[in-house]
Amino acid sequence: MSRFRYWLLALLLAGCSKLPLEQLPSANHNDRVQFLVLHFTAEDFATSVAILVKGNQVSSHYLIPQDGDPSYPYRQLKVFQLVDEQQRAWHAGASYWQGRRNLNDISVGVELVNLPRCQPPPYPDGRRQCQYPDFDPAQISLLVRLAKAILARHPDIGPTQVVGHGDVAPSRKDDPGPRFPWQQLAEAGIGAWYDEEVVGRYQQAFAQQPPSLALVQAALGAYGYGVLETGLVDRQTEDTLLAFQRHFLPQELGSGPSPRTVAVLFALLERYFPDQGSALWARYQQGEPQAVPQQDCSCAQKK
């Protein structure tokens, strides 16, 4: 048989086997991307590229450099896309937020070049002690523009679904650290923040009658953290409180479940999860016994 006949036969078979496919769209679906997770690299630009691009263990969807980095080879700062948003970047690892685990599947990750200065191990209490530098304003300006574009493309990402790596993995990670300008992002329409007047109302109550630790654990879980309600001063609770304070109250870092810390937590619940907040407030008003004295925990970190 000639080449022409082979070609003709293949063409006829392809035409006969065409799938009779018709589009019948359903409204019962949502976007793959549900979360935006922010990180710091803890390395300069060149090392970050070597790890995120040329390595074989970790990646991110985006990388944003900072001004003054001698390893950065360009005159102007720009955003680098490392992985397409529809693909799964390896940035969050073992993680949990709002009932979902292993957030790589359903998130976009952004790495910002930022270098904390940390003491080498061994660590006195098992946690590394670091000094965290401020973030570069030009870098944050780029992040705001990028994050707004990501949120526009993925409208299922709500305010409480813009989180740090330390929020979703508090026992492993502390980035983007206590110097990250979460409030600035929230004022730009990116992420969650609280109302100071509402905080004052809750703080007055909690200063007079501190909540039980079990109630604090339940409130942290209602907001999204993967903490179990044990009623005990355990490592998971200390780690989660540190993560919450790094995000919302860096000035309270290491103060444990202080009245202001819990007040901010309840103010956030009232704003973003009113049903859960109301149920927990009713539980508080029923007079649960205070499980733990309000004192500084031993897990303070340098800011």
Side-chain angles (χ1 to χ4, degrees), residues 211-218 229 231-234 237 241 257 289-292:
S212 70
L213 185 61
L215 184 67
V216 175
Q217 291 167 330
E229 185 179 337
L232 303 174
V233 184
D234 48 26
T237 305
L241 281 168
Q290 180 189 348
V292 179

Side-chain angles (χ1 to χ4, degrees), residues 1-278:
M1 186 180 293
S2 67
R3 289 185 179 180
F4 174 77
R5 289 183 178 180
Y6 275 122
W7 176 83
L8 182 60
L9 179 60
L11 184 62
L12 289 172
L13 290 174
C16 293
S17 62
K18 184 178 180 181
L19 182 67
L21 178 65
E22 181 176 348
Q23 296 293 329
L24 190 61
S26 171
N28 304 319
H29 69 280
N30 60 1
D31 192 7
R32 179 196 74 83
V33 177
Q34 303 288 311
F35 303 99
L36 174 59
V37 183
L38 305 180
H39 311 252
F40 60 44
T41 61
E43 304 287 352
D44 63 16
F45 178 79
T47 306
S48 299
V49 169
I51 293 171
L52 298 170
V53 178
K54 302 175 183 178
N56 59 7
Q57 293 184 335
V58 66
S59 62
S60 183
H61 292 93
Y62 296 98
L63 172 64
I64 306 180
Q66 67 176 351
D67 255 339
D69 182 346
S71 76
Y72 183 67
Y74 305 100
R75 289 186 177 181
Q76 292 186 329
L77 293 185
K78 51 186 173 182
V79 177
F80 293 83
Q81 184 167 18
L82 313 182
V83 178
D84 187 275
E85 288 180 15
Q86 296 307 318
Q87 294 181 313
R88 181 179 182 270
W90 305 343
H91 66 97
S95 50
Y96 176 95
W97 191 252
Q98 295 180 351
R100 305 297 295 267
R101 297 185 183 276
N102 300 318
L103 301 185
N104 285 345
D105 294 341
I106 49 175
S107 65
V108 168
V110 179
E111 290 272 3
L112 296 102
V113 173
N114 185 269
L115 284 74
R117 296 185 298 276
C118 300
Q119 297 177 0
Y123 309 126
D125 63 353
R127 295 181 179 87
R128 67 175 185 172
Q129 304 295 311
C130 299
Q131 292 181 332
Y132 300 90
D134 289 331
F135 281 80
D136 168 29
Q139 180 187 51
I140 297 301
S141 178
L142 277 180
L143 172 63
V144 167
R145 292 167 59 188
L146 172 63
K148 284 185 174 182
I150 292 171
L151 296 181
R153 287 189 291 270
H154 305 288
D156 286 348
I157 302 176
T160 66
Q161 291 155 285
V162 180
V163 290
H165 200 184
D167 292 309
V168 303
S171 292
R172 295 191 303 112
K173 298 293 182 177
D174 60 358
D175 52 316
R179 297 286 188 181
F180 185 77
W182 289 107
Q183 184 175 4
Q184 179 183 342
L185 262 66
E187 290 170 353
I190 304 160
W193 204 250
Y194 50 88
D195 183 282
E196 194 62 53
E197 184 176 340
V198 177
V199 171
R201 169 163 43 88
Y202 283 113
Q203 187 170 347
Q204 183 177 10
F206 294 145
Q208 295 176 354
Q209 178 58 49
S212 70
L213 185 61
L215 184 67
V216 175
Q217 291 167 330
L220 287 165
Y223 188 73
Y225 290 92
V227 61
L228 299 176
E229 185 179 337
T230 64
L232 303 174
V233 184
D234 48 26
R235 182 61 179 263
Q236 56 133 15
T237 305
E238 291 183 343
D239 291 342
T240 304
L241 281 168
L242 280 172
F244 181 79
Q245 290 167 339
R246 277 193 295 265
H247 191 133
F248 294 107
L249 290 156
Q251 67 276 14
E252 294 276 316
L253 195 61
S255 66
S258 64
R260 179 160 176 81
T261 295
V262 186
V264 168
L265 176 56
F266 270 75
L268 288 164
L269 290 174
E270 180 175 314
R271 183 171 187 178
Y272 298 106
F273 303 101
D275 291 342
Q276 294 94 317
S278 294

